[in-house]
Amino acid sequence: MKHIDRLRSLGLFDSRVPRYTSYPTAPVFSPEVGATEQTRALAALDPAQPVSVYLHIPFCERLCWFCACRTQGTKTLSPVESYLGTLEQELALLKGILPKGLRMGRMHWGGGTPTILPPEMIHRLAQAVRDVIPPTEDCEFSVEIDPTMVDRAKIAALAAEGMNRASIGIQDFDPLVQASIGREQPFDITRACVDDLRAAGIRSLNADLVYGLPHQTAARLDDTVSRVLELSPDRVALFGYAHVPWVSKRQKLIPEDALPAEQARHALANLAAARFTDAGLTAIGIDHFARPDDGLARAAASGHLRRNFQGYVDDTCPTLIGLGASSISRLPDGYVQNAPATAAYIQRIEAGQLAGARGHVMTGDDLLRARAIEMLMCDFRLDRNALRAAFGALAATLDAQIALVGERFGDLVAVTDEALTIAPEGRALTRIIASAFDAHVPEGIRYSQAS
Ligand SMILES: C[S@@+](CC[C@H](N)C(=O)[O-])C[C@H]1O[C@@H](n2cnc3c(N)ncnc32)[C@H](O)[C@@H]1O
Ligand code: SF4
């Protein structure tokens, strides 16, 4: 059987499995866990352990058709300003709850488009966070930047507030592909944005690309990759286009008949990956690339790569505090997600309570499976000895499943008493293999395809 047919027979094109940015995944969260658990867990944090902070800005001036992020379009700044006021209220509530002396080791602003904020709002927001959770000396501050929605003054404001990493959205540079996803973004504007970010002292710059978009061909993607390489990013995220129009209604504008077919899509991912590794970037996890001296590549090499809602990270803070609509906090006991809809989030905060609306309390079994899945997603290797050291006898719960994976995936995996390792030829199946260890199968949820 040809390799591609073998991958197909193992579900590469048919399986609909999560991307495992958390385990359990957000669709399994329950409304029975909310603000009460959130408040209790935040109050009990150890102030000696720095936390990470994620702040969500759910606004964009344009709404790209392909995008599945939680955001809404606005042509004016008034809803943004009012939302900023709510974030300030949320932070004031947190101030009354968090233990004194807690510090922030990481902060990430995502969206939507955080760079919709004008400079004065950037300063206001950064100040509000700092007042409640002061940063550590070596705090990393990263921001998602839409190159068409930023200027030098905004970059200067972010840099003055300590931004030292940035992630820019590119997706694809081809004009036909851009037109078909409702996102025009000339190369010159992107280049100017990169130059401004570098001049502002950004030392780690990530570029987001997407394969599997309408009208994308090998030649067009090859051209996009060449242009991306001209920008010398330190990291590249190469996401498979998730076509989920039942979740993201704006994707109904995507011309489905122009989407690459299964095998062509798989070939696009391989083509871009080969170009990036040929250019000297190291492949990281299922969809990232990084310069060997970048923190992400160093974390991967030393076994410290982790996966959270932002994707792959070299973040070692165990606690993540999510602020804003839809943000998810990872707390010592489990996960709590703020009300996903902006209006519902605002309503809760204005009523004087935290906005946690759904969540999950982790059992010992969840913690074991979460770490096993994270190991597969980050290292392609489930380290059985490390799980035994961390979880004791409980680790044996996975033995039967490991054996079944060995039988099902044959020589695409190697099973020993030490580890379950995914061979390079089997890595396209990583999400499917990880899903074998998922004990929570949500009802009525459809994920995007696994390839
Ligand atoms: C919050 S958005 C980007 C930030 C900024 N608003 C921009 O447009 O440049 C984060 C990234 O998610 C990825 N993304 C969004 N929708 C996607 C989808 N349907 N499938 C795959 N990746 C997607 C894109 O690469 C995008 O750059
Ligand atoms: S890709 Fe960025 S700018 Fe476009 S809709 Fe999504 S979040 Fe907004």
Side-chain angles (χ1 to χ4, degrees):
M1 198 192 298
K2 280 204 327 215
H3 187 58
I4 189 73
D5 294 329
R6 183 154 178 226
L7 295 179
R8 182 196 314 254
S9 72
L10 289 166
L12 182 65
F13 301 128
D14 302 330
S15 299
R16 298 285 182 269
V17 283
R19 291 177 185 224
Y20 291 112
T21 52
S22 71
Y23 175 80
T25 56
V28 245
F29 292 175
S30 140
E32 270 150 42
V33 177
T36 310
E37 290 74 15
Q38 190 177 20
T39 308
R40 201 183 307 134
L42 288 167
L45 288 177
D46 172 6
Q49 282 264 17
V51 295
S52 294
V53 171
Y54 172 76
L55 211 146
H56 192 68
I57 307 289
F59 296 100
C60 296
E61 203 177 275
R62 60 169 175 188
L63 280 181
C64 315
W65 306 337
F66 79 99
C67 178
C69 298
R70 215 166 249 290
T71 187
Q72 63 198 70
T74 176
K75 291 286 173 211
T76 72
L77 278 177
S78 69
V80 183
E81 179 147 35
S82 133
Y83 181 77
L84 175 57
T86 312
L87 282 173
E88 287 170 327
Q89 285 180 49
E90 184 179 19
L91 282 157
L93 287 169
L94 276 181
K95 192 168 189 159
I97 296 169
L98 292 172
K100 299 283 164 278
L102 188 73
R103 309 246 270 163
M104 169 173 76
R106 297 270 173 142
M107 175 160 67
H108 183 82
W109 290 6
T113 302
T115 48
I116 198 168
L117 298 173
E120 64 278 13
M121 291 195 208
I122 289 172
H123 292 305
R124 237 177 88 183
L125 184 54
Q127 180 68 47
V129 180
R130 235 190 347 258
D131 283 351
V132 177
I133 321 176
T136 56
E137 298 267 297
D138 56 353
C139 179
E140 305 258 3
F141 175 22
S142 50
V143 182
E144 287 172 18
I145 290 180
D146 176 354
T148 69
M149 196 59 221
V150 74
D151 55 29
R152 275 192 194 153
K154 291 180 182 182
I155 291 175
L158 287 165
E161 295 299 345
M163 172 178 71
N164 43 29
R165 294 178 170 201
S167 175
I168 57 166
I170 292 179
Q171 329 311 345
D172 192 299
F173 276 125
D174 184 82
L176 176 62
V177 176
Q178 290 189 356
S180 71
I181 59 169
R183 182 183 171 104
E184 271 179 41
Q185 181 173 329
F187 180 74
D188 293 353
I189 287 182
T190 313
R191 159 106 263 168
C193 169
V194 168
D195 290 347
D196 290 344
L197 286 167
R198 291 294 193 196
I202 294 304
R203 54 187 163 80
S204 182
L205 182 71
N206 173 74
D208 282 345
L209 296 185
V210 176
Y211 70 86
L213 292 173
H215 297 294
Q216 225 171 23
T217 58
R220 290 189 179 118
L221 186 60
D222 194 58
D223 207 37
T224 287
V225 172
S226 299
R227 306 210 103 190
V228 170
L229 289 171
E230 276 177 52
L231 301 172
S232 306
D234 303 282
R235 301 179 181 178
V236 174
L238 175 68
F239 299 120
Y241 171 52
H243 189 58
V244 285
W246 56 91
V247 178
S248 186
K249 303 280 179 268
R250 53 187 177 268
Q251 289 187 348
K252 296 203 167 125
L253 296 166
I254 294 289
E256 286 185 350
D257 53 355
L259 288 172
E262 295 167 342
Q263 226 165 300
R265 176 181 156 108
H266 182 65
L268 288 171
N270 287 343
L271 175 146
R275 290 283 323 268
F276 287 125
T277 48
D278 286 353
L281 300 181
T282 307
I284 311 280
I286 60 165
D287 52 14
H288 277 54
F289 302 85
R291 282 171 48 139
D293 57 348
D294 185 81
L296 207 59
R298 281 190 277 119
S302 63
H304 292 97
L305 187 67
R306 293 291 177 267
R307 191 153 168 84
N308 72 14
F309 306 103
Q310 290 140 44
Y312 287 106
V313 290
D314 52 358
D315 184 354
T316 48
C317 301
T319 297
L320 174 71
I321 300 181
L323 300 172
S326 81
S327 290
I328 301 176
S329 296
R330 187 185 61 217
L331 300 164
D333 292 345
Y335 299 104
V336 182
Q337 180 174 32
N338 279 354
T342 305
Y345 158 76
I346 293 175
Q347 210 176 24
R348 283 171 188 250
I349 297 291
E350 284 185 347
Q353 54 166 2
L354 291 182
R358 316 166 65 237
H360 183 82
V361 177
M362 299 291 271
T363 63
D365 183 70
D366 289 332
L367 291 168
L368 168 70
R369 289 172 190 275
R371 185 65 195 120
I373 288 175
E374 187 179 43
M375 283 173 166
L376 289 169
M377 297 294 292
C378 291
D379 311 325
F380 304 111
R381 184 173 189 273
L382 186 161
D383 183 338
R384 302 174 85 176
N385 284 339
L387 290 181
R388 285 177 196 126
F391 296 93
L394 188 61
T397 325
L398 303 182
D399 288 355
Q401 200 58 51
I402 291 172
L404 282 175
V405 167
E407 277 168 34
R408 178 166 167 217
F409 294 92
D411 61 0
L412 298 177
V413 298
V415 178
T416 65
D417 187 51
E418 267 81 58
L420 160 66
T421 311
I422 307 177
E425 309 75 54
R427 288 185 180 175
L429 302 170
T430 300
R431 285 166 63 188
I432 299 173
I433 295 171
S435 73
F437 297 92
D438 187 341
H440 296 274
V441 179
E443 270 172 41
I445 300 293
R446 288 162 74 196
Y447 293 101
S448 63
Q449 69 196 87
S451 59

